[in-house]
Amino acid sequence: VEGGRVVGGRWGVEHVPLVYLVHGWGSRGARLASFVEPLLSAGFGVVTYDAVGQGESARGMTSMPEFARTLAAVVAQQGGGRAPHALIAHSMGAAGTTLALTWGLEAARLVFLAPAADPRAWVAPFAQLFGLRPDVMDRVRARSERRLRARWSELNVCDLTRKVSRRPPLLIVHDEGDETVRWQDGAAIAAAWQGARLVTTQGLGHRGETSDARVVRQAVQFAIGD
């Protein structure tokens, strides 16, 4: 993917429905390891991986579009022509998953944990921290868009939901005190995605939802269709 090697793992017997686990920014597939055993026990196969530029996969730059391209490539390589039964995605992984869905990726069910709604919102604090002038940020944006082969304005997840032709059932779990991605991001995506279910947690922060036993149980039940 993007000229680099993607490292991942697969569990379960052949010819069973697959659930793909999609990690977030600055993370790796192992972040979602708590979901593997419950999914296997329910009779599903599991695929997870380190997105390009993350974890054990190729070093270098990465982005939301590259997260999406990695997911699409892994599904094409592992799925044997079958769409995923479910996608369970965390943080930026949820944003990349939504982008991949606009490109035609399909899944029967979706679970988003602490999803980021608008990656552009992270740019302003970055510019302020380093004291970057507006004209400098304009050049940063232009160079970034050339590399990404996508405009920043096209990456708002709430806007992207309207471009998903077949929207499967979606469960969003977001912590009220998330210190990295605001709870309001998850709420906005839930409002934009018709029929989405939003569950609010307390005290788990941004990463706690990937390992909390109650969240894992609820997410797995939704993903498998119970």
Side-chain angles (χ1 to χ4, degrees):
V1 178
E2 304 291 303
R5 178 171 173 263
V6 171
V7 177
R10 176 170 174 161
W11 297 263
V13 298
E14 296 291 332
H15 309 302
V16 296
L18 292 177
V19 177
Y20 293 76
L21 308 178
V22 187
H23 69 78
W25 187 267
S27 189
R28 60 181 63 217
R31 170 70 66 182
L32 299 168
S34 298
F35 292 89
V36 175
E37 186 56 41
L39 288 166
L40 292 178
S41 297
F44 290 81
V46 182
V47 175
T48 190
Y49 57 89
D50 297 349
V52 63
Q54 307 278 292
E56 296 300 317
S57 294
R59 299 297 186 266
M61 300 174 72
T62 193
S63 65
M64 176 179 161
E66 285 157 324
F67 267 54
R69 293 179 194 125
T70 304
L71 173 58
V74 170
V75 170
Q77 202 261 3
Q78 291 292 316
R82 294 180 299 165
H85 177 79
L87 301 165
I88 300 176
H90 178 236
S91 191
M92 180 63 78
T97 295
T98 307
L99 182 57
L101 291 170
T102 70
W103 297 341
L105 180 69
E106 294 184 357
R109 304 182 76 82
L110 298 173
V111 177
F112 288 173
L113 307 173
D118 189 3
R120 293 177 302 173
W122 300 344
V123 174
F126 171 82
Q128 184 177 15
L129 177 64
F130 290 99
L132 301 178
R133 301 190 312 269
D135 63 302
V136 173
M137 289 309 300
D138 286 343
R139 295 201 298 274
V140 168
R141 177 189 52 76
R143 292 185 63 172
S144 171
E145 289 178 343
R146 286 196 298 271
R147 190 184 74 81
L148 300 182
R149 307 191 297 279
R151 295 182 180 276
W152 286 6
S153 61
E154 299 170 345
L155 302 180
N156 181 285
V157 175
C158 295
D159 294 340
L160 288 173
T161 62
R162 303 182 185 98
K163 300 178 181 179
V164 179
S165 57
R166 297 179 63 181
R167 279 180 271 183
L170 169 63
L171 170 67
I172 297 174
V173 184
H174 211 133
D175 195 78
E176 194 171 48
D178 192 321
E179 72 287 358
T180 303
V181 177
R182 303 178 312 150
W183 173 88
Q184 288 81 354
D185 280 35
I189 297 171
W193 191 286
Q194 186 175 4
R197 178 184 173 192
L198 174 64
V199 173
T200 301
T201 61
Q202 286 87 32
L204 297 179
H206 186 61
R207 295 176 177 82
E209 290 172 349
T210 63
S211 57
D212 178 77
R214 189 172 181 179
V215 171
V216 170
R217 182 169 58 252
Q218 191 170 22
V220 168
Q221 288 175 345
F222 186 89
I224 66 178
D226 286 359

